[in-house]
Amino acid sequence: MLNGLRLPFVWDEDRRADLDAFYGLTRDKLCYILDPADVKGPDYPSETFRVLKEKETRQHGEYRTRRLVLAAWDRMEANGEFAEMGM
C-alpha cells in the first residue's frame, strides 16, 4: 500500500510457480489440472495445457511448468506457508 492505495500486482517470473500453486487445491487436484493423464492414466482423452506442455517439452525437454508448480507446492507445504495462509 502507498498512501492508502493498493499498489498493482508486480509480476515476478521467479515466483510464478508459487502463485500457480496457491488456489486452495489439494496436490492431487493440482496434478490433475496440470496434466490429467498423470492422474487418470496415459489413455485419458483430455488435456488441459497441451500447447504449453508441447512447447515446454520442445524448449526444455520437459513440461517445466508442471515441475515448477509442484515443486513450489511441495516447498510451501513443507515450510508451513500454506498453514500460515489458513490452507
Side-chain angles (χ1 to χ4, degrees):
M1 286 197 141
L2 179 65
N3 296 328
L5 298 174
R6 188 172 227 163
L7 297 175
F9 175 76
V10 177
W11 182 255
D12 182 347
E13 186 65 30
D14 294 333
R15 296 279 331 252
R16 174 180 173 211
D18 293 0
L19 296 171
D20 288 347
F22 180 71
Y23 283 101
L25 302 171
T26 65
R27 192 178 194 283
D28 287 341
K29 288 179 183 177
L30 182 58
C31 286
Y32 177 81
I33 290 167
L34 290 167
D35 193 351
D38 282 350
V39 177
K40 299 291 187 177
D43 295 330
Y44 193 70
S46 178
E47 294 179 277
T48 311
F49 301 108
R50 179 179 51 85
V51 174
L52 176 64
K53 182 179 177 180
E54 289 174 354
K55 177 184 172 189
E56 289 187 350
T57 300
R58 278 193 314 274
Q59 289 180 338
H60 306 288
E62 66 170 329
Y63 183 11
R64 184 175 173 261
T65 294
R66 179 190 178 282
R67 178 179 56 81
L68 293 175
V69 168
L70 293 176
W73 177 280
D74 293 341
R75 185 189 72 250
M76 292 171 77
E77 186 172 57
N79 71 15
E81 284 183 66
F82 285 146
E84 289 174 15
M85 292 184 270
M87 292 178 59

